[in-house]
Amino acid sequence: MRLEPFAQLRRGPIVQHRPPAIFIADSLGLDFLNSIATPVDTPIDWLDSGDGLLRWLAQAKLVPADALDALKARAMPGELDKVADQARALREWFRGFVRKHMGRPLTPKALHELGPLNRLLERDEAFSQISRPSRSDGDRLDLRMMRRWRSPESLLLPIGEALARFVCEEDFANVKACEGHGCTLVFADHTRRRARRWCSMAICGNRAKQAAHRNRLKNRH
C-alpha cells in the first residue's frame, strides 16, 4: 500500500468543547491510533482539522510550542487542514498494520509492509546540537536531537518517529484492544502478569464491573 502523499480521508463531525486527547496506551504510537475514539457517546476525532492536529501534537509533547506557533503563523489557508488529512490517513494505515500483527511478536518479515512509514522518515531533517543542561543544577552540556520545521508537513515527522519506535521497540504480543463494549482503544500491556483488559479501569473497567453486578442481581431472581 502506497501512501505518498497519504490518501485523504473524509473528516468526521467537529466536536465542540472536546475533552483533552486520550493518552492511556503506554505507547505514544498507540496513543496516535487512539486520537479518534468515543469516550462517552459521541465519536471524537482529535485530528479532524489543522487546529486539531496542532492541539494533539502539543498535548503529546511531540512538537515544541514555539515551532507550532511559527508553523501556524506561516501556513497558507487550508494548508494545515491538508496535513491533518495526511495524519488521519497515516493513522488508519498504521491501524491496519497493528491490527494485523498485534497479539504475537513482530518478525522481520513485516518489513516489506512498512514502506510508507520509511518513506515518511526519509523526509526528516533532524540533527544533533550541543545545548545548555536540561536541569537547572546540571553542570554538563547536553547533546539534544533537534529538527528543522520547514513546512506544515514536517509536523508528520515526529509522529512517524513515534510509530517507528513503537514498531522497533515494542513487543507486539503485548498489544491489546480494550475489551469494553464498543470501545476502540488499544494499548500496550506492560503489567506484571500481562493481565490488563481495559483502556481504563475508571471507564471501561468500571462499566464491566457494573454490568457484571447487574447480571448477578438478575440471576438471583
Side-chain angles (χ1 to χ4, degrees):
M1 182 177 182
R2 186 177 178 84
L3 293 177
E4 190 178 289
F6 296 108
Q8 293 189 5
L9 299 181
R10 188 169 65 179
R11 294 181 196 164
I14 296 177
V15 179
Q16 300 297 329
H17 308 297
R18 67 187 59 191
I22 297 173
F23 294 92
I24 53 83
D26 208 16
S27 165
L28 195 51
L30 293 181
D31 282 325
F32 178 61
L33 297 189
N34 293 338
S35 61
I36 182 171
T38 308
V40 185
D41 299 316
T42 306
I44 299 177
D45 189 342
W46 282 273
L47 309 182
D48 65 351
S49 65
D51 284 342
L53 174 62
L54 294 179
R55 286 191 294 268
W56 188 87
L57 288 168
Q59 291 177 57
K61 299 180 180 179
L62 279 175
V63 182
D66 56 348
L68 291 173
D69 292 340
L71 285 171
K72 185 173 182 179
R74 296 198 309 263
M76 299 293 291
E79 193 172 12
L80 288 171
D81 289 337
K82 292 181 180 178
V83 177
D85 289 343
Q86 295 182 62
R88 292 195 303 277
L90 172 63
R91 180 182 64 193
E92 299 315 309
W93 166 78
F94 194 66
R95 188 186 309 282
F97 178 85
V98 170
R99 284 178 174 171
K100 179 179 178 181
H101 296 284
M102 64 189 289
R104 61 185 186 277
L106 189 69
T107 70
K109 293 181 180 179
L111 179 61
H112 73 281
E113 301 175 44
L114 294 168
L117 182 54
N118 273 332
R119 287 193 290 273
L120 171 60
L121 296 172
E122 287 173 1
R123 306 179 197 172
D124 208 345
E125 291 193 73
F127 59 95
S128 300
Q129 186 173 73
I130 300 171
S131 61
R132 293 180 178 275
S134 56
R135 297 181 300 170
S136 58
D137 60 343
D139 57 358
R140 298 168 63 177
L141 296 174
D142 285 344
L143 184 63
R144 299 184 188 177
M145 288 300 299
M146 310 293 287
R147 179 175 277 114
R148 295 183 178 88
W149 308 95
R150 296 190 185 276
S151 70
E153 284 198 347
S154 64
L155 293 172
L156 298 173
L157 298 176
I159 297 175
E161 183 178 13
L163 301 185
R165 288 186 181 278
F166 167 74
V167 167
C168 296
E169 298 175 2
E170 185 60 66
D171 184 348
F172 268 57
N174 297 332
V175 179
K176 297 180 179 180
C178 177
E179 296 182 18
H181 177 70
C183 185
T184 61
L185 299 182
V186 291
F187 55 85
D189 184 358
H190 295 154
T191 60
R192 185 173 181 180
R193 297 184 179 180
R194 302 297 186 264
R196 181 177 174 183
R197 300 174 60 193
W198 318 108
C199 61
S200 168
M201 284 303 300
I203 303 176
C204 287
N206 187 52
R207 290 173 182 170
K209 286 184 177 180
Q210 292 176 349
H213 179 66
R214 289 194 296 269
N215 287 335
R216 285 194 297 269
L217 292 178
K218 182 179 179 180
N219 293 333
R220 290 176 184 176
H221 300 287

